[in-house]
Amino acid sequence: MTNIAANRAATATALRYRTLAVDAFNEAQAHYEIAVLDHVTARILEAYPETTHLTFGDSSRDRTIELHGLWATHHGGTEELILDVPRDADTSALDLQEIADDLTEALAGRQSVAWSAVRPQPRPGGHRVLNLPPTDRAVRIAELVRAHHPDAQLLTVDLVRNTCRVRDIVCAKLSEFGGAIGKPVQATDELPLWPVETERQITALIQQIHALPHLRAERLARVGGPRERTAFFLLPQTSSGKE
């Protein structure tokens, strides 16, 4: 019986270490995927600074990425095609095949966190749209949130695997003489915090921040222990104070 108990204890310990190793591997994989996405973005913006998104197709057979175009979105929502990849494939400003290969790596797994940058609806012709991450994800989140809640200061978010949900918002009216903190505004099915597309953009950027250790440590504060999936996200001040 002693040997049986010892073997059970050894099995439980091995399982615990295996689980920790899987978690560490998944975290490193997510970090790599977003790091590749950021590197691709930097290279594209170096060559074509006005680019805001790109279109691509992905093969369901081998999951390789085929670039279709680089685009800019202007004020008012109009889109401009900057680079038609099939037509301008020989451009010297950017190695388009290397960009496609890097995106193939970043988006290799259907659970890749880099898919958070891809709009869910494909464009006509089977194209998908990938939004290039902003230079400062936290500032962009603050802009999106304060467009609907001008006094927002703090988000409570639930992070479960490759998903994210904003649970509530803490708003505060602040001034040099003090301020008042309001009751958290909770998200409900009947009264969402903002439109669906805004939710998609905010949660995608939070997922990306969570995948990058230096940004996660700076922006996300766990509630409870290290395995707790609920976190606080403190919104930075933007240039105008509030959006």
Side-chain angles (χ1 to χ4, degrees):
M1 293 298 293
T2 301
N3 288 338
I4 293 176
N7 289 338
R8 285 176 178 173
T11 300
T13 299
L15 178 60
R16 179 166 60 87
Y17 285 137
R18 177 179 175 174
T19 300
L20 291 173
V22 169
D23 288 345
F25 175 83
N26 290 337
E27 181 173 331
Q29 182 68 25
H31 182 192
Y32 176 73
E33 291 158 355
I34 297 302
V36 171
L37 180 62
D38 281 354
H39 184 219
V40 166
T41 297
R43 291 171 64 194
I44 291 174
L45 294 181
E46 182 180 7
Y48 301 96
E50 63 272 34
T51 307
T52 57
H53 58 284
L54 60 84
T55 50
F56 70 94
D58 64 313
S59 169
S60 58
R61 180 175 56 84
D62 57 11
R63 294 185 177 176
T64 56
I65 299 300
E66 178 183 342
L67 290 179
H68 290 162
L70 303 183
W71 296 76
T73 301
H74 300 295
H75 294 296
T78 59
E79 293 185 332
E80 176 189 358
L81 179 61
I82 298 172
L83 187 70
D84 186 329
V85 173
R87 186 190 65 195
D88 303 322
D90 294 330
T91 175
S92 60
L94 192 64
D95 189 326
L96 297 172
Q97 188 55 55
E98 283 191 5
I99 294 294
D101 290 344
D102 282 346
L103 286 176
T104 296
E105 279 198 60
L107 299 172
R110 290 305 180 187
Q111 297 302 314
S112 167
V113 70
W115 278 100
S116 65
V118 179
R119 299 183 198 173
Q121 294 84 13
R123 295 173 63 90
H127 296 196
R128 296 181 185 270
V129 183
L130 184 146
N131 291 330
L132 299 186
T135 302
D136 192 321
R137 289 178 171 89
V139 167
R140 181 58 183 147
I141 291 170
E143 292 171 348
L144 290 166
V145 170
R146 290 183 180 134
H148 300 275
H149 302 273
D151 297 314
Q153 300 295 330
L154 183 75
L155 305 181
T156 304
V157 299
D158 288 335
L159 295 156
V160 181
R161 294 187 180 273
N162 292 320
T163 63
C164 173
R165 181 178 69 90
V166 179
R167 181 190 295 178
D168 59 49
I169 304 172
V170 173
C171 296
K173 292 184 179 295
L174 304 176
S175 71
E176 59 181 315
F177 304 107
I181 299 176
K183 183 178 179 181
V185 181
Q186 295 187 333
T188 65
D189 293 337
E190 297 76 20
L191 191 63
L193 296 170
W194 33 62
V196 173
E197 175 58 17
T198 302
E199 174 76 7
R200 186 193 69 79
Q201 293 182 53
I202 290 171
T203 55
L205 293 172
I206 292 175
Q207 284 179 264
Q208 293 167 28
I209 287 174
H210 183 251
L212 295 168
H214 65 290
L215 291 182
R216 181 173 68 235
E218 179 183 353
R219 294 297 178 185
L220 289 168
R222 291 287 191 187
V223 179
R227 299 188 66 81
E228 173 60 54
R229 298 304 182 185
T230 301
F232 292 132
F233 184 91
L234 181 63
L235 296 173
Q237 293 303 311
T238 53
S239 58
S240 60
K242 59 184 180 181
E243 300 295 321

